[in-house]
Amino acid sequence: MEALAVRLSGLDPYVDGAIRIIAFYDTLMRRRLDLPALARASAGLAECVTGIRLHDSGRATRFTADGRQASAPPSPVSTTVPIILDEEEIGTVWLERPGPPNPLDEVLLDRLAIATAAAVERYGPARTTMADPALVELAVGPDGDEVTRARALRLLGFAAELPVHVAAVRSHLPLDQIGGLICPARPVKAAPLADVGVILATAIDPARFPAGVRAGIGAAGSPGRSWREARTALRFTSPRAPVVHYPDLGALALLAEIPPDVSRDNTDVAAIARIADSPEHMETLDAYCASGSLRRAADLLHLHHSSVARRLEHIAKTLDIELTESTGLIRVKLALTAWRLLQE
């Protein structure tokens, strides 16, 4: 390999410089330098101010070419490169070079970004949101003992005294983006488990989930129990209620314990299945159940109340349930919820 490098360097001065930069950072990584030492060494090599910033802290580490910590206001950035760890951008490195960039600046910053990611991972816990799915499964799974669970949580960066909430998420958005939104103060970790995303955080703000995300949130406490609760709550989500907190379900959570065959055989649930192919009927019934009032349902649907009344009359005949009576409304709410749980 060294002989090949020598031959290549003889062909092209750029290649020679790039190889020397790579060798320089290989040496730094073997010496296990921390971030300030990496920034100082890089500034000396680049002969200009060099900076490192991690997104989670927001603080910049900047050194001048003579090895001093930069105190002057930052100059315009000439070149910047993201720091990537576990396929997630965790920060940036940059040069504040006066005048045009050096042809080798990008090579230098690429290697500095790699060295910084390695240092962050080494002196962790890693500042990424995404985590090893196997480690997350140890933290929330039903089979592990409490010692194993506690160790997994510690490796994920959660202190023993901190409460941990677990959220079960379905979304097309990246899990790290969702985690950063719902718990900006950190710590927060996420990983895909089977067909569901799991997010662990010390605090979760349900109002910060972005549009289009379905999420169930378990109560704080045992991560194993919170994960079970979160998955149950996820089953109760709907377009009108995309985020459900398990404690808010109360006795409704008992519906999730009913065997599917028992629910399917129920007369009211079977009646809901008969109108499920009509989006108009399902939307009208959902609005009526959510509001409990014909006029409020009309407001939700942006329709005249007489139009909603005609729809509800037809739905009531199909279901054979008197929707205007309190008992009928309770029956159809339970039946609609049970039918939705069967679709999960």
Side-chain angles (χ1 to χ4, degrees):
M1 185 67 184
E2 290 182 2
L4 176 61
V6 170
R7 290 201 299 273
L8 288 172
S9 65
L11 294 174
D12 188 340
Y14 175 87
V15 174
D16 180 44
I19 290 173
R20 292 178 185 277
I21 290 172
I22 291 170
F24 177 81
Y25 280 100
D26 285 347
T27 301
L28 295 185
M29 291 172 70
R30 285 196 298 271
R31 292 177 179 174
R32 299 175 178 268
L33 300 186
D34 59 12
L35 299 192
L38 282 173
R40 183 186 296 109
S42 299
L45 180 64
E47 298 182 337
C48 68
V49 174
T50 301
I52 300 173
R53 177 183 285 109
L54 299 180
H55 293 330
D56 69 326
S57 66
R59 292 192 299 272
T61 301
R62 298 169 59 243
F63 278 87
T64 62
D66 58 4
R68 293 178 299 172
Q69 194 159 2
S71 56
S75 302
V77 172
S78 57
T79 315
T80 182
V81 167
I83 305 166
I84 305 297
L85 180 60
D86 294 337
E87 300 182 2
E88 179 185 344
E89 183 179 323
I90 63 169
T92 55
V93 293
W94 69 89
L95 299 178
E96 300 171 21
R97 185 183 298 286
N102 185 296
L104 289 168
D105 281 355
E106 287 197 10
V107 177
L108 186 153
L109 286 179
D110 281 338
R111 301 307 295 183
L112 174 56
I114 292 170
T116 300
V120 169
E121 189 170 35
R122 181 182 305 116
Y123 297 115
R127 303 306 200 269
T128 56
T129 297
M130 299 305 294
D132 181 352
L135 192 58
V136 171
E137 190 166 14
L138 283 176
V140 302
D143 300 327
D145 56 70
E146 290 307 311
V147 173
T148 301
R149 195 186 307 279
R151 182 173 182 274
L153 288 170
R154 186 171 64 254
L155 291 173
L156 289 168
F158 293 96
E161 67 275 8
L162 292 177
V164 177
H165 294 263
V166 183
V169 176
R170 284 202 178 100
S171 172
H172 295 299
L173 295 175
L175 281 174
D176 60 290
Q177 179 180 332
I178 299 171
L181 287 172
I182 64 175
C183 187
R186 312 249 174 186
V188 56
K189 291 291 180 180
L193 291 185
D195 62 336
V196 179
V198 54
I199 297 177
L200 294 87
T202 52
I204 293 178
D205 185 351
R208 295 180 65 91
F209 278 96
V213 174
R214 296 284 188 95
I217 306 171
S222 166
R225 185 181 68 248
S226 187
W227 175 232
R228 291 194 301 272
E229 295 175 350
R231 285 183 297 169
T232 297
L234 180 63
R235 298 179 62 195
F236 284 85
T237 60
S238 68
R240 203 174 296 282
V243 179
V244 174
H245 199 251
Y246 181 84
D248 294 339
L249 289 173
L252 283 176
L254 296 174
L255 292 176
E257 306 298 325
I258 299 174
D261 289 342
V262 174
S263 290
R264 288 192 192 94
D265 292 340
N266 180 269
T267 303
D268 289 351
V269 177
I272 294 290
R274 289 197 296 272
I275 67 168
D277 291 335
S278 170
E280 179 182 280
H281 286 164
M282 293 297 286
E283 186 181 24
T284 302
L285 188 62
D286 180 57
Y288 182 66
C289 288
S291 63
S293 161
L294 188 152
R295 290 188 177 275
R296 285 198 293 271
D299 291 338
L300 289 175
L301 296 169
H302 305 291
L303 294 171
H304 193 274
H305 65 86
S306 61
S307 299
V308 175
R310 284 194 297 271
R311 288 187 186 183
L312 288 174
E313 183 179 358
H314 180 75
I315 292 170
K317 289 179 180 178
T318 304
L319 299 179
D320 194 23
I321 298 175
E322 182 51 65
L323 298 179
T324 58
E325 295 179 356
S326 58
T327 302
L329 182 58
I330 292 172
R331 283 176 57 187
V332 78
K333 282 183 176 180
L334 291 175
L336 183 60
T337 301
W339 178 84
R340 283 179 174 148
L341 291 175
L342 289 174
Q343 311 314 305
E344 292 294 323

